[in-house]
Amino acid sequence: MDAKKKKLTLYVAGQTPKSLAAISNLERICEEHLPGRYEIEVIDLRQNPRLAREHDIVAIPTLVRELPVPLRKIIGDLSDEQKVLVNLRLQDE
Amino acid sequence: MAVGISKSPTGIAGFDELTHGGLPTGRPSIVCGSAGCGKTLFASTFLIQGAREHDENGVFVSFEERPVDIVSNVASLGFGLDELIEAEKIAIEHIAIDPAELAEIGDYDLEGLFLRLELAIDAVGAKRVVLDTIESLFSAFSNPAILRAEIRRLFDWLKDKGMTTVITAERGEGTLTRQGLEEYVSDCVILLDHRVHNQISTRRMRIVKYRGTAHGTNEYPFLIDEDGFSVLPVSALGLDHKVFDERVGSGVPDLDAMVSGGGFHRGSSILLSGVAGSGKSSLAASFAGAACARGERALYFSFEESAAQTVRNMRSIGLDLQPWLDGGLLRHIAARPTFYSLEMHLAIMLREVTRFDPGLVVLDPISAFMESGDRLEVQSMLLRVVDFLKSRGVTAVFTHLAHSQEGSTATDAGLSSLMDAWVLMLNREMNGEFNRELYLLKARGMAHSNQVREFVMSDTGIRLLPPYLGDNGALTGSARKAEEAKARRAEMQRLAEVARAKRAAQDRRRAATAQIAELQAELEASDLELRSIADSEAEYRRQAERDSADMEVSRKA
């Protein structure tokens, strides 16, 4: 079960409307479609800008799916649920 | 602003002079041009020179090349970018975006880029930023509206932070940059260009816009070579030359003696023109040798011969240039006219002159350019060379290959007005032999001999012999020798004649004197005779009187 867990990292920069929207959209989608099978980490790059370089983040907000591989990046406020699902391939799980 | 905007020097030779100081400080500037025109090099030079020479650290944001590639690209120019990175004077921020692993859903911004840039700027305490090439973002992100807004915000942000920024951009169709970035940058736009004409490439730079600064709108050629990027401001030259009264020798004392003052003016332009084999290069080399002998530096641009060839050839006339070359007083630069375009030649010449700072420059021959370019272009180039050298007070010697001796004065008219002195060299056939002749067609500001001299090169140097002016006109070569011999013979004959006549007259005089003596003797004899006649007459009379008295006495008696 743990191995199948999605590890999602959401990079934001401060409490901007876009960031807040992305966080709430992501939590909602995950709760609906992946209850208990996800792990979300929100990183505020404003607090730790070094990570932007390390993880090669340019656009904000960026959602990174580190697991399962391959790495996948989604940028934007995640306002389109279907698209988010397609890109995270959450449905076929 | 009354004081004008402040400027940050780029360290690019020529560019800072052209813009009176460099790029606008604390503002973004765009450097645009097509692929391979040197944008990235311009930007790197700006950054590296800033860190090295002006204590302004920098951040290089690369959207394309990896940091190792950037370092190795400029390593060939001896910039040592890696050392600057190690010393934390320059930071390279590589922004790599792989569109394949990216999906866009909803609204976003480029705050990550801002954060990273800020981090890098703070890390090195940067004053300068390079964005190379920010337009790559347009291929990574699909929403141009967001990108434009963000790029505009980025430029404003950099301006607020007081970063002197260089943004490189690809040249677009009909626009300066592909994405119209020039709309966002209102301060300074520089266009780089790389053109190939007749298979000869020329790089040119133009300042399209530079707010708050007077700038030339011309295109200026620039070079990218082992010394990096250099712009060559060539047209901003006027007629406010320095003027010298000092004379410089030509290395040929006989030639110096032909002008009043014992030489040509320092800083003047001297044209040596003549047909093939008339000794132009030799005379030009002699000028160079004389300059070196005075302790001045001389720069010899040869468009036909290599340095070794020139040295060897000059040895044959007793002029050894090798010690000057070895000692660094003489620099010989050989390049075929077709190596570069005219602009490039000009640019290189100006750069070399600026670097070497010679007292005398030789261009041998300028006619080599005539084949490689349009007449007017060549003339304008030469005009710039002349003006440039004059403005620096450099004496210039140009050789020009004339195709015919007769029309030479007419065909070179375009050049002659640029020249202060014109030495015409002829190679004339007469009685089955060619003889070199030289004369001073013009010498501004100097009284000069109007004679045609015979130009004689031997292993002891160049000599100018005064012409033989005989009954049959001026003669040179063996005709001159023959005529001189003939004259010598005639003279001897004449002297013998005079001696004979003199002797004859003396003889006659002696004879006359003898005659006079003879007559004198006769005269004296006659006088003697007359006296004796008179005496005997008187004696007779006395005798007769005595006789008649005796008779009277006897009769009376």
Side-chain angles (χ1 to χ4, degrees):
Chain A
M1 192 60 199
D2 254 11
K4 283 220 158 185
K5 230 175 186 173
K6 305 270 181 200
K7 193 168 176 234
L8 303 171
T9 313
L10 184 64
Y11 294 90
V12 295
Q15 306 283 310
T16 62
K18 278 192 282 274
S19 296
L20 293 175
I23 293 169
S24 74
N25 284 336
L26 181 63
E27 280 176 345
R28 186 172 41 79
I29 294 165
C30 287
E31 200 49 49
E32 264 175 44
H33 298 270
L34 297 162
R37 287 190 287 131
Y38 67 92
E39 200 178 282
I40 295 175
E41 191 189 356
V42 177
I43 294 177
D44 187 349
L45 293 176
R46 209 168 273 293
Q47 310 289 325
N48 200 348
R50 212 162 283 280
L51 292 175
R53 187 175 195 190
E54 273 170 36
H55 297 126
D56 215 357
I57 306 300
V58 175
I60 297 290
T62 298
L63 175 63
V64 177
R65 186 196 70 185
E66 284 171 46
L67 285 171
V69 282
L71 186 122
R72 189 88 192 136
K73 279 181 182 169
I74 299 171
I75 59 170
D77 59 10
L78 311 174
S79 50
D80 187 326
E81 187 178 317
Q82 281 309 307
K83 268 194 178 170
V84 174
L85 290 173
V86 167
N87 276 285
L88 287 178
R89 300 223 176 83
L90 293 178
Q91 278 172 322
D92 29 271
E93 303 299 318
Chain B
M1 262 181 278
V3 283
I5 56 173
S6 76
K7 289 171 190 173
S8 299
T10 58
I12 292 169
F15 181 81
D16 295 341
E17 287 81 3
L18 206 61
T19 51
H20 308 286
L23 293 171
T25 303
R27 288 149 188 268
S29 303
I30 281 192
V31 176
C32 52
S34 46
C37 69
K39 303 183 291 290
T40 305
L41 188 63
F42 183 100
S44 329
T45 310
F46 157 76
L47 209 62
I48 292 165
Q49 293 288 349
R52 264 185 164 181
E53 309 293 333
H54 306 288
D55 208 25
E56 291 194 355
N57 294 349
V59 173
F60 193 104
V61 185
S62 169
F63 294 90
E64 285 171 346
E65 285 180 294
R66 293 176 302 144
V68 287
D69 295 328
I70 296 167
V71 171
S72 59
N73 286 351
V74 297
S76 60
L77 304 173
F79 277 160
L81 183 54
D82 40 353
E83 291 157 31
L84 290 169
I85 292 169
E86 230 162 85
E88 295 197 329
K89 282 173 165 287
I90 284 183
I92 299 184
E93 185 69 29
H94 183 215
I95 309 275
I97 301 154
D98 182 4
E101 60 175 33
L102 205 66
E104 291 175 29
I105 301 166
D107 196 14
Y108 59 91
D109 56 39
L110 299 182
E111 192 61 26
L113 173 62
F114 284 70
L115 290 169
R116 289 168 72 171
L117 195 48
E118 185 161 35
L119 191 69
I121 288 171
D122 292 344
V124 295
K127 291 256 184 281
R128 300 182 175 204
V129 172
V130 167
L131 304 175
D132 182 49
T133 311
I134 199 159
E135 281 178 323
S136 325
L137 288 178
F138 284 90
S139 59
F141 297 102
S142 58
N143 191 335
I146 289 181
L147 275 180
R148 285 181 190 285
E150 286 297 286
I151 287 174
R152 188 186 285 267
R153 187 161 74 93
L154 179 66
F155 291 173
D156 287 345
W157 180 79
L158 286 166
K159 213 166 166 176
D160 284 344
K161 288 188 84 72
M163 293 295 136
T164 310
T165 309
V166 169
I167 299 138
T168 65
E170 284 280 318
R171 182 94 200 252
E173 290 287 329
T175 53
L176 287 172
T177 64
R178 201 171 283 169
Q179 303 295 341
L181 289 181
E182 66 271 20
E183 287 172 29
Y184 309 143
V185 175
S186 51
D187 296 299
C188 181
V189 178
I190 291 152
L191 178 66
L192 303 182
D193 187 20
H194 190 194
R195 249 174 280 168
V196 178
H197 178 65
N198 282 345
Q199 299 168 19
I200 296 169
S201 86
T202 314
R203 295 173 188 277
R204 289 171 215 247
M205 191 209 75
R206 183 159 70 95
I207 300 169
V208 178
K209 168 163 146 184
Y210 197 143
R211 185 164 290 180
T213 293
H215 63 82
T217 49
N218 292 340
E219 288 189 314
Y220 301 96
F222 69 90
L223 285 178
I224 294 178
D225 59 9
E226 65 272 17
D227 301 310
F229 198 107
S230 45
V231 183
L232 307 131
V234 283
S235 17
L237 298 165
L239 269 172
D240 49 349
H241 314 134
K242 290 183 214 168
V243 171
F244 295 87
D245 279 328
E246 190 193 338
R247 301 303 176 93
V248 291
S250 62
V252 179
D254 293 339
L255 179 59
D256 296 340
M258 283 175 78
V259 292
S260 65
F264 295 90
H265 283 118
R266 175 179 296 284
S268 60
S269 310
I270 304 154
L271 177 66
L272 312 175
S273 81
V275 291
S278 56
K280 301 178 296 294
S281 298
S282 304
L283 188 55
S286 159
F287 268 97
C292 291
R294 286 192 299 272
E296 288 175 31
R297 279 189 292 277
L299 191 53
Y300 196 109
F301 291 102
S302 172
F303 307 109
E304 283 175 351
E305 286 179 306
S306 70
Q309 220 177 335
T310 305
V311 169
R312 184 202 63 195
N313 295 350
M314 289 311 110
R315 267 198 194 124
S316 72
I317 58 161
L319 177 63
D320 195 356
L321 296 173
Q322 195 63 48
W324 307 124
L325 277 172
D326 295 340
L329 271 179
L330 178 65
R331 207 164 125 67
H332 187 283
I333 297 168
R336 285 272 175 214
T338 47
F339 276 5
Y340 316 106
S341 64
L342 281 177
E343 287 265 305
M344 221 51 180
H345 269 291
L346 173 65
I348 290 170
M349 282 191 267
L350 301 201
R351 190 183 64 174
E352 292 297 335
V353 169
T354 313
R355 252 188 223 165
F356 192 62
D357 195 22
L360 181 125
V361 168
V362 176
L363 262 64
D364 179 33
I366 51 174
S367 42
F369 290 109
M370 297 294 180
E371 282 88 50
S372 74
D374 173 72
R375 253 191 78 79
L376 280 173
E377 279 179 36
V378 173
Q379 239 177 57
S380 108
M381 176 192 100
L382 290 172
L383 178 69
R384 286 161 163 193
V385 172
V386 168
D387 277 352
F388 173 76
L389 293 177
K390 278 206 170 151
S391 68
R392 294 182 65 93
V394 177
T395 312
V397 177
F398 304 90
T399 70
H400 183 273
L401 175 68
H403 292 292
S404 80
Q405 326 219 67
E406 312 316 323
S408 60
T409 47
T411 51
D412 302 340
L415 296 173
S416 84
S417 62
L418 302 178
M419 301 295 164
D420 297 313
W422 188 353
V423 178
L424 200 60
M425 303 175 80
L426 308 171
N427 201 0
R428 257 207 279 254
E429 193 270 346
M430 198 182 278
N431 304 329
E433 62 178 45
F434 274 101
N435 287 301
R436 298 190 178 88
E437 291 169 12
L438 172 150
Y439 83 101
L440 269 170
L441 196 64
K442 89 172 185 190
R444 281 183 188 150
M446 287 179 287
H448 54 91
S449 164
N450 63 351
Q451 273 188 333
V452 177
R453 300 286 172 102
E454 186 173 358
F455 183 86
V456 182
M457 291 190 282
S458 69
D459 51 8
T460 54
I462 296 172
R463 295 217 49 216
L464 300 179
L465 305 180
Y468 177 77
L469 295 170
D471 297 337
N472 306 323
L475 295 172
T476 55
S478 53
R480 161 218 200 93
K481 290 208 174 77
E483 194 65 26
E484 277 172 355
K486 210 162 100 188
R488 267 196 306 277
R489 280 197 304 277
E491 177 67 7
M492 273 163 65
Q493 237 163 19
R494 195 183 58 77
L495 285 175
E497 197 68 42
V498 167
R500 208 173 52 238
K502 211 159 143 191
R503 254 189 335 267
Q506 273 164 351
D507 284 350
R508 276 200 303 281
R509 187 174 188 282
R510 252 193 317 275
T513 316
Q515 249 173 337
I516 288 168
E518 200 180 320
L519 287 173
Q520 192 73 40
E522 215 171 305
L523 189 68
E524 278 165 19
S526 307
D527 282 349
L528 215 61
E529 200 182 326
L530 275 176
R531 258 198 310 278
S532 83
I533 290 170
D535 285 350
S536 55
E537 172 67 14
E539 187 58 28
Y540 172 80
R541 284 190 186 231
R542 275 196 303 274
Q543 194 61 47
E545 269 172 37
R546 256 193 321 268
D547 289 348
S548 72
D550 285 345
M551 212 127 64
E552 268 176 40
V553 169
S554 61
R555 261 189 216 147
K556 280 178 180 171

